[in-house]
Each structure stands twice: as C-alpha cells, then as structure tokens.
Amino acid sequence: MVLLSARVERARLSASARAAQRARELRAAGKSIVELAQGEPDFNTPDHVIEAAYKAMRAGQTHYTQVDGTPELKAAIVAKFKRENGIECKPENISAGAGGKQVLYNALMATLDPGDEVLIPAPSWVAYADITHFAEGIPVWIPTRPENRFKLTPEQLEKSVTKKSKWLMLNSPSNPSGAVYSAEELRALVPVLERHPSLWIISDDMYEHVLFDGRKFATLAAIAPQLAPRTLTVNGVSKTFAMTGWRLGYACGPVELIRAMARMQGQSSLNPSSVSQAAGVAALNGPMDIVYSRCAEFQARRDFIVPRLNAVPGLSCDKPHGAFYVYVSCAGWIGKKTPQGTVIGNDADVCVHLLEHGVALPNGAGYGLSPYFRVSFASSLDNLEEACKRIKAAGESLR
Ligand SMILES: Cc1ncc(COP(=O)(O)O)c(C=O)c1O
C-alpha cells in the first residue's frame, strides 16, 4: 500500500495525454487509430542543432551547469528577445528550465499562496489550471467567445479581476484555439492592466513562430514596456525548432521573480540538460529559414483540414491564425444518438464516439470551453485525410 499525499490528487493527467495514451492502448490491441492529440511538430530537430549537441558532448559539456541556464544560453536568449521581440533584458532577467512547462511551474509555485487566483481565458492549454491547482491557487476561467475568435476582451478582463487575482495568463498564438492577438488587441488590454497594479501577467509565446497568412507576432512586454516589471514572457525551443524531447524552455522577467524561480528549480531538477542547453544556443543563434518553411507546411495542412471538418454536418470551426490546432465546435452532435443507442451528452461523449471510429482527440472540457474538441494538424497530410474520413463517418453514423 503506497501512502499518497493529498498533493498528488491535484496532479492530473491532461486530456491530450489521456487521448494519446488511449490511442496507444487501442493500437497495441490491434485497432487502427489515427491520433491527432499530441501537440508537437512531427518534423525532426534541424541537423545543425543536433551537430551542436554532439560537439558539446564531445567537448565535455556533460556536467551540471548553473541552475537556471549557462551564460552562453542566457546570452543567446537575451539576444533573441532583443532581435525578435524588441524586449531589452539582461542575463539576470532570464530563467531556463526543462521546457516552458517547468518554467511556468516554477513561476506559479514561487508566487501562489493558497487561495490566490489565476485568470485563465478559456479555452486554454490545460496545464495553466492544473499547475495552479497543484500550487494551491484557484484557476478562474474567463470564457471567451468564438465571435471574438476566442480572444479576451478588455471588458471581460475588467469584470474578472478581484483582490485575489495574482496572474493573468495570455497565450498567443493559442493552444488550443489558434487565436492570435494583434498588437492593437494587446494594447486594448493595457489600460485594464494598468488599473490593477497587483495583477501580474504571464505571456506564453511558445507558438510565436507558427503564424499564418503573414501575421505579425506581438507580445505584451514589448507593446507595453511599463508592464515589463510585472510580466513574465515565456518561450522555448519545443515548437519553434521541433525540439520537444530536448526539454528546454525559458522566460524573461523581473530579477526577484527569476531568482525565486531558480530556487524552485534548485529543489527539483536543478539545471536543464547541459546538452540541450548547448543545442538551444545553436537553435537560437542559428538560421531561421527551416522554421519559416515548416510554418508554411503547417499552413498548407490547416488549409487542407479546415474545409473538410466544416463539411461534416454538426461540426464547425474557424481557420486558426497560428499554432497547429483547430478547435472544433461539436454543438451539432450533442443530443444525437450513436448506432449503439447512446445519446451524446457532451464533448467527452463525442470523443469516445470518435475513438470508436478510430480517431483519438482530446475533448474541449479540459481546455475550459465546451462543447468542442481539439485537432492537432502537426501530422502528415495522409494522416489528416484519413482522420477527416473517419470523423465524417462518425458524424454520418449519428441519428
Ligand atoms: C501553450 C503552451 N505553452 C507551453 C507549452 C510547453 O512546452 P514545453 O514544455 O515543451 O516547452 C506548451 C506545450 O504543449 C503549450 O502548448
């Protein structure tokens, strides 16, 4: 009998991890499953990054490093923020960890006291609410509207702030909706943020380079430098450079917060892998053409999948402006009956029904807004085509 803590109850498996896990089990049992649940590029890490990692290992960079990043990595991150975002910072403003997820975890663990609120526009990446729970904070979902392309409005923000609100999570391009905030839209939030000086902001820019139709990326600390002293800008190499397995993410923020985050990391994993950090330097300082050509590939896949999903009766979605997800409304399937006679009551039932037709997808409830499901199009066109056929068949089987 294992003695589990109350804390472990607050650590949940995400909807996407659950869907991917179920897909693996069904495949192992011999069923054909197309899995579009995982949020990671299906490309390989660029060769020059792999070479740099190899060289670093040969050169003996295989030891512990500074807890929150080597000087070389921090210098590359400082240069990246200046070059790409116009954010001026110093190495002491930088924290690197084992993925953007660890960086976010450190930030929330270092700042939340029991009962503190974290404002999360819904739909959003599940981890924000899960980490908040874990850190004994309270996630406060702010439902956004499809007519606003799932973006938070200044009015919605104003209404949601209380004395207990400690953080606002902003994520653009968004997982799971693909929403992208323009500079104008971010600027519109600034007066509200200025009226509430005790509210801090996390700008999660993880999908910065997955932007479609020539859109320009904007981030809060650059748009409103007066808010930089209470903004943590989070980014990483996972999505931009197809480096999810290397586990390297980073953030830029005020020194006191950065030091507190290093203390959290110092009592858990210590430094991110020395080899990954060397690879990260090569990625950040290296050429970007491969990143742009992969983005064009994602856009072609988006253009392939969106009309096919919209052609299925009962489903609807907008073209995402960034990231590699479509957030599909399945409102038209709710209340219908499957051939087995089960009534579809919510988006979890929708995903069970889709799985019966051989497609593994996470449902919207985990992202805080129902009834939807999320489709990742970071997969080959063949996979996407097969998934669309199966989704159509699943829809046609409903009465
Ligand atoms: C919105 C968002 N932020 C951050 C992350 C964290 O990525 P990583 O920990 O691989 O850097 C993810 C991963 O799925 C994400 O979707």
Side-chain angles (χ1 to χ4, degrees), residues 34 80 111 147 153 174-175 222 225 235 238 240 242 245 255 270 293 299 311 326 350 355 365 380 382:
V34 183
K80 175 260 178 278
T111 54
E147 336 45 295
T153 65
S174 150
N175 169 12
N235 211 319
S238 285
T240 301
V255 177
L270 285 180
S293 63
Q299 184 169 320
V326 200
V350 166
L355 199 56
S380 69
D382 284 350

Side-chain angles (χ1 to χ4, degrees), residues 160-177:
S160 311
V161 185
T162 72
K163 283 202 177 70
K164 295 212 148 210
S165 313
K166 206 150 201 179
W167 286 103
L168 165 68
M169 310 300 298
L170 283 178
N171 172 221
S172 170
S174 150
N175 169 12
S177 71

